[in-house]
Amino acid sequence: MFFPNPIEVLTYFVHTLTHKIGKYNLTMHTLFSLKRVAVGFGLSSLSGIILGVAMGYSKTINAIVRPLFNIIRPIPGLAWIPLAILWFGIGETTKYFIIFMGGFANIVLNSYDGTVKVNPVLEGAARLLGANDVQVFFHVILPSATTYIFAGLQVSLSTSWMAVLAAEMISSYEGAGWIINMGMQTGDTTLILVGMVAIAIVGFLLANIMRILERGLCSWTIRGR
Amino acid sequence: MDNQGKIKIQCGHLHKTFHAKNRKQDEVNEVIRDFNLQVRENEFVVLFGPGQCGKTTILNILAGLEEKNSGTVVVNDIEVTGPRQDRGMVYQTTALFPWLKVIDNVAFGPKMQGMKHSDWKKKAQYYIDLVGLTGFEKTYPVKLSGGMQQRVGIARAYCNDPEVIFMDEPFGHLDAQTRYLMEEEIEKICNGEKRTVVFVTNNIEEAIYLADRIVLLTNTPTHVDKEYVVDIPRPRDYTSPGFLALREEITARIDTTNL
């Protein structure tokens, strides 16, 4: 069928939530993809924030890392797929790596921006109130960079979700990306759409979780109010 | 007032020049030339001068936030080399930490110095009450009006127990009505909590209303033009003969020297 009707897709969607497609049911496939994103995105967030903040805080670190970073930055995460497969094979590491590369640059840049754009007047005010270097870092620089860092995380999470699907479509035996690829190979348009619906729902949920987190962490900004 | 009390601020032959790197040539901008100031304990000194004359730069140097080219600055018997907690600052645009609630802004200094939770809480509450912000402890600065934000700034400076407080046109951005109110407020606070204050303004009424002594500054390169001791009894009335006479005198001086 060229384009299955919505009811058919929905029925199949509900059915596969508990019934196997390939090795697992739809819920498990989605959880597989989510786990990969969690690992890849977790690693890119952690290292990206640390590197970005370090680059913003220290001119020396920035001078060393910046040239390398500027070369890597314009390369989309997906362009790393062939190299990743040759380096790491077709296992999980490859997928983590692709997701990592998809989100990393953005997080670094935003963390760097946030750290650099700290209002020097606030820094001076903190020092006049008796804060030392470490306290200025944790009580002024980091909090004022939070909004920037969060903007980076939000964008990176959605690119991570894209990257995992691409990685799964190329080499995988499970995951949401595998489902739509399977649908294509067997000419099953209903299955493709079921996969797409699952992807949409997860993407929507991820974006909203980030928004709620932001509202909690950045409640002091007008936007987060 | 002149010959009593310990000297808190001793500033001699202060010079400051900014170098702006231009594309074609180096721009040299001499801001302060041979500025001298002596402030005694618990004195309220107003630096009064035209806009853009380097008043903020002087305060920043006294506070240790900016470096001088030459001269000596001694505050509280200590040569100024950098920011120190014995000096407080109330800023022109409120430099509150927007991510901290009112109470955490006010208690920032004591917290940084490791004061116990119950102690800083009590102390911050005292100053919040003093500036009339009771009930706003848990509010973020972004939700406060300009006048209220400035009150938080004042409370924050006082709560850190500085020996000297610098106020850099703290009411410059407020509307006229709020400004009068804040001037009365600051006078009340200063009477209740005696501190050495250096207050910068370009508003003549504000200067006469608040000052023990007015230091009239010239245009750039800034130095002291003349000093006026204000001995009108407090609280002062903007329309009393003494007030108006001094206002007249200072205005005339500004006109003749063509500031």
Side-chain angles (χ1 to χ4, degrees), chain A residues 177-201:
Chain A
W178 175 84
I179 291 178
I180 50 180
N181 201 38
M182 197 60 200
M184 182 186 79
Q185 283 175 6
T186 54
D188 188 347
T189 46
T190 318
L191 185 59
I192 294 176
L193 280 162
V194 163
M196 287 169 72
V197 169
I199 290 162
I201 292 172

Side-chain angles (χ1 to χ4, degrees), chain B residues 26-59:
Chain B
D26 283 0
E27 235 174 71
V28 177
N29 186 11
E30 189 183 10
V31 186
I32 299 162
R33 179 188 289 167
D34 200 22
F35 172 81
N36 296 285
L37 181 72
Q38 205 177 57
V39 182
R40 291 179 182 278
E41 190 164 22
N42 294 341
E43 201 180 5
F44 197 118
V45 170
V46 171
L47 301 183
F48 176 73
Q52 304 298 315
C53 85
K55 303 185 292 277
T56 300
T57 309
I58 292 174
L59 273 201

Side-chain angles (χ1 to χ4, degrees), chain A residues 24-45:
Chain A
Y24 306 100
N25 62 36
L26 180 60
T27 320
M28 283 307 289
H29 278 295
T30 313
L31 287 176
F32 254 107
S33 303
L34 272 173
K35 184 200 124 203
R36 287 165 180 156
V37 169
V39 174
F41 176 68
L43 286 174
S44 65
S45 309

Side-chain angles (χ1 to χ4, degrees), chain B residues 146-218:
Chain B
M148 288 161 99
Q149 290 187 4
Q150 214 41 282
R151 284 164 196 260
V152 179
I154 293 164
R156 184 177 69 179
Y158 270 86
C159 192
N160 203 36
D161 281 328
E163 296 281 338
V164 180
I165 298 183
F166 302 111
M167 301 197 188
D168 183 11
E169 294 192 48
F171 312 139
H173 293 285
L174 304 180
D175 59 272
Q177 201 63 42
T178 316
R179 190 167 185 155
Y180 282 129
L181 214 72
M182 290 301 293
E183 286 163 13
E184 281 173 29
E185 200 76 34
I186 200 92
E187 198 193 0
K188 248 184 268 167
I189 294 168
C190 290
N191 276 337
E193 294 252 340
K194 278 283 180 198
R195 294 288 160 80
T196 312
V197 178
V198 180
F199 190 104
V200 156
T201 186
N202 56 13
N203 181 310
I204 181 82
E205 283 190 331
E206 189 169 86
I208 302 173
Y209 185 79
L210 293 170
D212 290 325
R213 183 155 55 98
I214 295 173
V215 177
L216 186 61
L217 303 175
T218 64

Side-chain angles (χ1 to χ4, degrees), chain A residues 128-129 135 139 220 222 225, chain B residues 85 98-99 112-113 142-143:
Chain A
L128 269 180
L129 290 166
Q135 286 171 325
H139 293 275
W220 48 274
I222 298 167
R225 181 154 56 160
Chain B
Q85 70 218 44
W99 52 86
M112 291 302 111
Q113 283 138 57
V142 72
K143 293 189 191 169

Side-chain angles (χ1 to χ4, degrees), chain A residues 121-131 135 139-141 143-144 219-222 225, chain B residues 63 65 83-85 87 89 91 95-99 108-109 112-113 140 142-143 156 160:
Chain A
V121 173
L122 289 186
E123 219 182 303
R127 287 189 193 282
L128 269 180
L129 290 166
Q135 286 171 325
H139 293 275
V140 180
I141 294 174
S144 81
S219 56
W220 48 274
T221 58
I222 298 167
R225 181 154 56 160
Chain B
L65 292 171
R84 243 180 92 97
Q85 70 218 44
R87 285 164 256 139
M89 179 82 107
Y91 293 84
L96 300 176
F97 305 113
W99 52 86
F108 190 87
M112 291 302 111
Q113 283 138 57
Y140 284 107
V142 72
K143 293 189 191 169
R156 184 177 69 179
N160 203 36

